[in-house]
């Protein structure tokens, strides 16, 4: 008779719950003193981090998609006045209504506390990039993101230009802050264990868009184009979008060799090239 997979054997929603108590302590300690801070926890699950955060955070907002887990957490923290459990999808939750200025109120955002919030989460792997992009979009409300992701993703987030790990995720992450990998956790730190190692990444938000002198969305679109085919040279990735003469002139102005690959360029250099391409419209055929 075929074996029926139990819930524990068939994780849904990326549910790999942290079972290593000392790792939970290390993650929460990496946030520093949160006694005066608002903390946003993404995917609290069974509350491995939530219980520790609730002890010290001034205010804790936890967003959990799983209805049953959210209900259990609400019961668990019913008496904790500093904890708010929201059943919802972090990809569609209205961050403005949580952190933004309240209509009719002269107070600045984030209620009584104008300080940005700290984000922490053992992220569901299946939507890691989407969550990061959404947090970047709302970065005005946050100063630190402390996220547990697949180790390979962590390595890409912190990779420096020139290395083989450096790619679109590295460039976009580093556009919004300073990333560093804090520690690695093996699969048996979780229940059920995932197939891969995990790593905790700290991203201190510091927006580099203004320093780079580029408009945000067009520059991100340009980065996507630069990295569209990783094995190809920058010239080959860009030639479908710009006339050769324009591209050649811009590369000369920005002092970028046509034969390089996008992964070798710093963000400053890529921005210089983008600026040198100026008002030229991207014309993809
Ligand atoms: N924080 C807990 C821990 O460390 O044990 C659980 C981490 S588990 C890897 C990811 C959690 O995110 C699960 O509880 C899952 O239900 C929740 N989740 C998955 N997708 C979500 C989404 N779109 N929005 C909010 N939570 C989500």
């Amino acid at each position: 008779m075929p074996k029926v997979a139990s819930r524990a054997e068939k994780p849904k929603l990326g549910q790999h719950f942290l079972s290593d108590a000392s790792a939970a302590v290390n993650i929460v300690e990496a946030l520093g003193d949160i006694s005066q801070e608002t903390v946003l926890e993404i995917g609290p699950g069974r509350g491995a981090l939530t219980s520790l955060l609730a002890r010290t955070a001034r205010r804790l907002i936890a967003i959990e998609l799983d209805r049953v887990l959210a209900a259990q957490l609400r019961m668990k923290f019913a008496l904790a006045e500093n904890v708010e459990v929201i059943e919802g999808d972090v990809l569609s939750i209205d961050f403005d209504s949580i952190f933004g200025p309240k209509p009719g109120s002269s107070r600045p955002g984030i209620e009584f506390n104008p300080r940005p919030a700290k984000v922490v989460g053992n992220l569901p792997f299946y939507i890691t990039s989407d969550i990061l992009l959404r947090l970047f979009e709302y970065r005005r409300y946050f100063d630190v993101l402390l996220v547990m992701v697949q180790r390979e993703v962590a390595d890409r987030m912190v990779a420096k230009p020139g290395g083989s790990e450096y790619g679109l995720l590295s460039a976009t992450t580093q556009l919004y802050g300073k990333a560093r990998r804090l520690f690695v956790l093996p699969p048996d730190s979780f229940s059920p264990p995932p197939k891969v190692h995990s790593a905790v990444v700290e991203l201190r938000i510091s927006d580099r868009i203004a320093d780079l002198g580029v408009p945000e969305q067009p520059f991100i679109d340009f980065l996507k184009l630069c990295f569209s085919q990783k094995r190809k040279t920058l010239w080959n990735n860009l030639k479908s979008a710009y006339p050769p003469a324009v591209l050649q002139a811009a590369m000369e102005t920005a002092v970028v060799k046509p034969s390089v690959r996008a992964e070798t360029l710093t963000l400053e250099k890529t921005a210089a090239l983008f600026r040198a391409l100026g008002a030229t419209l991207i014309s993809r055929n």
Side-chain angles (χ1 to χ4, degrees):
M1 210 169 105
K3 197 177 156 215
V4 177
S6 72
R7 183 183 158 122
E9 291 169 317
K10 194 181 174 193
K12 64 164 187 154
L13 300 179
Q15 291 178 341
H16 298 280
F17 301 104
L18 187 61
S19 52
D20 179 338
S22 61
V25 170
N26 290 341
I27 292 169
V28 173
E29 283 185 348
L31 283 175
D33 178 3
I34 51 172
S35 60
Q36 300 305 313
E37 310 291 344
T38 296
V39 177
L40 170 70
E41 187 187 0
I42 297 172
R46 292 179 183 158
L49 301 173
T50 324
S51 301
L52 298 174
L53 294 165
R55 277 187 214 152
T56 45
R58 188 189 70 88
R59 183 178 174 210
L60 173 63
I61 300 163
I63 302 173
E64 173 56 58
L65 183 58
D66 186 308
R67 174 165 294 188
V68 174
L69 292 177
Q72 286 169 349
L73 287 167
R74 271 214 198 101
M75 280 199 286
K76 186 169 179 182
F77 294 103
L79 297 177
E81 288 182 355
N82 61 332
V83 180
E84 185 183 347
V85 177
I86 299 176
E87 182 197 322
D89 183 343
V90 69
L91 297 180
S92 57
I93 203 108
D94 182 359
F95 284 128
D96 288 325
S97 75
I98 299 176
F99 297 112
K102 305 289 174 275
S105 158
S106 56
R107 284 189 199 112
I110 316 183
E111 287 192 356
F112 305 100
N113 186 353
R115 292 150 70 95
K118 300 192 184 304
V119 179
V120 62
N122 170 11
L123 301 186
F125 290 164
Y126 75 111
I127 44 169
T128 299
S129 302
D130 294 336
I131 294 178
L132 289 172
L133 289 177
R134 193 161 160 82
L135 294 173
F136 296 156
E137 186 186 341
Y138 287 92
R139 63 193 176 282
R140 59 187 174 280
Y141 297 131
F142 312 127
D143 65 356
V144 174
L145 314 182
L146 197 72
V147 288
M148 176 131 54
V149 297
Q150 222 171 303
R151 181 173 56 183
E152 290 69 21
V153 173
D155 290 343
R156 285 195 274 133
M157 288 174 75
V158 304
K160 297 280 168 266
S164 61
E165 308 281 354
Y166 191 82
L168 183 62
L169 180 65
S170 329
T172 41
T173 302
Q174 292 163 35
L175 198 53
Y176 298 116
K178 294 189 174 59
R180 64 187 183 115
R181 198 180 88 172
L182 298 187
F183 46 89
V184 173
L185 291 176
D188 65 7
S189 300
F190 303 89
S191 171
K195 291 196 172 69
V196 293
H197 280 64
S198 304
V200 176
V201 173
E202 176 200 77
L203 182 75
R204 294 205 166 265
I205 298 290
S206 75
D207 203 327
R208 293 172 66 192
I209 304 271
D211 290 347
L212 293 171
V214 289
E216 182 175 359
Q217 195 51 53
F219 185 59
I220 290 176
D221 292 342
F222 182 67
L223 285 172
K224 285 183 186 159
L225 194 60
C226 291
F227 286 104
S228 51
Q229 299 217 38
K230 244 197 133 195
R231 286 170 187 277
K232 283 194 175 177
T233 61
L234 195 56
W235 178 275
N236 280 336
N237 276 333
L238 294 178
K239 72 177 184 192
S240 61
Y242 298 95
V246 171
L247 194 52
Q248 190 175 346
M251 285 187 160
E252 277 169 23
T253 306
V255 196
V256 172
K257 286 194 188 135
S259 59
V260 299
R261 293 204 176 123
E263 73 215 39
T264 63
L265 296 188
T266 61
L267 274 175
E268 285 76 8
K269 209 51 158 170
T270 314
L273 178 60
F274 178 84
R275 288 196 309 270
L277 284 163
T280 313
L281 287 177
I282 294 181
S283 57
R284 281 179 153 239
N285 299 322

